[in-house]
């Protein structure tokens, strides 16, 4: 099969479009013919092996997983002998390593039926970003109707889902983004938009019940200033860093974990988002109900996946970038 393969760390130039063996389906897995796959900041970090501390897990000198990509949408080609929920021909979406390819194998536990009202390109944009937003707001933030929620990084891949999900939960939502993305964030349902080039959300403004930080560009002390006395700060990785760093955006998360017990009534929580079929089903319900709609910035053919990652890295793409197969 054709796939985007990486044998060493570096810029998008290390990615090559080549042929590899089609994956063999395991007993609990499904083999999916990929129709579309989304680009995430995760792909950028894996490609560069950045931050360096992550190489302890990713592979010290080269990536353990050679094929890039995580989010996918496509059609089931074959199923393992222990798979009962899915069958060949089903249209599905989910998360698995190696999605920038013509085929991908995934555990049935991280694959769900594709939302009926989405194209394959739109569906591929949902799993990782939508799951991160859902877990950050529902599971950690425990957002309730009437609460004030601020999303820092509201125009990004996770942010565009977070704004919509927080609104669906009945919150009063403020999105922080750049000038050029303000209209987009408003169109997603944000009650207020803060242009970070003109205004500092951590100073002399409203206080929020939940601050969902997706950027990692402000200190913990600054973020806590934006919280109510019993507010909650949810940290989720951070976007694209400048690169070549030891800890990158993980530094803020490490500090958050260390200081969480000393935050008094305020709570500092670090999100570790794990793919789950149940969460895909919850997202599908939100999508089919019309509460959430994925936003796709650009699409690229599979052979140009390196350019798609370059666009995400250099241009700081808004919403989602999708590779079509």
């Amino acid at each position: 099969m054709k796939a985007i393969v990486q044998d060493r760390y570096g810029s998008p130039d290390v990615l090559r479009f080549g042929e590899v063996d089609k994956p063999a389906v395991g007993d609990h897995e499904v083999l999916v013919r990929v129709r579309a796959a989304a680009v995430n900041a995760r792909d950028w970090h894996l490609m560069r092996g950045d931050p360096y501390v992550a190489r302890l897990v990713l592979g010290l000198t080269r990536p353990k997983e050679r094929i890039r990509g995580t989010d996918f949408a496509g059609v089931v080609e074959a199923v393992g002998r222990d798979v009962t929920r899915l069958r060949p021909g089903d249209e599905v979406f989910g998360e698995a390593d190696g999605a920038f390819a013509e085929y991908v194998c995934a555990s049935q536990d991280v694959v769900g039926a594709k939302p009926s009202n989405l194209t394959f390109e739109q569906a591929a944009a949902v799993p990782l970003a939508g799951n991160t937003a859902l877990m950050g707001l529902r599971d950690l933030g425990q957002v309730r109707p009437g609460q004030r929620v601020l999303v820092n990084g509201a125009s990004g891949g996770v942010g565009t889902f977070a704004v919509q999900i927080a609104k669906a939960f009945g919150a009063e939502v403020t999105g922080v983004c750049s000038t050029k993305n303000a209209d987009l964030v408003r169109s997603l349902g944000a009650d207020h938009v803060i242009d970070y080039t003109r205004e500092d959300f951590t100073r002399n403004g409203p206080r929020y019940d939940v601050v969902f930080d997706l950027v990692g560009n402000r200190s913990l002390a600054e973020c806590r200033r934006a919280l109510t006395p019993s507010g909650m700060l949810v940290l989720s990785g951070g976007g694209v860093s400048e690169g070549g760093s030891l800890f990158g955006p993980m530094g803020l998360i490490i500090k958050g974990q260390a200081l969480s017990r000393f935050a008094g009534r305020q709570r500092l929580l670090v999100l570790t988002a794990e793919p789950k079929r149940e969460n895909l089903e919850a997202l599908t319900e939100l999508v089919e109900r019309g509460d959430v709609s994925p936003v796709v910035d650009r699409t690229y053919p599979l052979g140009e996946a390196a350019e798609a990652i370059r666009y995400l890295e250099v241009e700081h793409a808004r919403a989602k970038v999708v590779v079509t197969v």
Side-chain angles (χ1 to χ4, degrees), residues 295-300 308 311 315 317-323:
V295 181
V296 177
D297 182 357
R298 291 189 183 184
T299 61
Y300 292 78
Y311 174 66
E315 300 296 334
R318 66 180 190 171
K320 297 295 295 183
V321 177
V322 173
V323 170

Side-chain angles (χ1 to χ4, degrees), residues 57-77:
V57 176
L58 305 178
L60 288 176
T61 60
R62 64 182 65 186
K64 295 177 182 177
E65 299 290 341
R66 297 178 64 225
I67 303 176
R68 291 282 61 79
T70 303
D71 288 344
F72 66 86
V75 179
V76 175
E77 182 92 355

Side-chain angles (χ1 to χ4, degrees), residues 32-37 71-75 92-94 114 120-121 123-124:
V32 178
R33 185 175 184 89
V34 180
R35 294 285 298 275
D71 288 344
F72 66 86
V75 179
V92 296
F93 72 143
K114 180 179 77 66
F120 285 106
E121 290 81 4

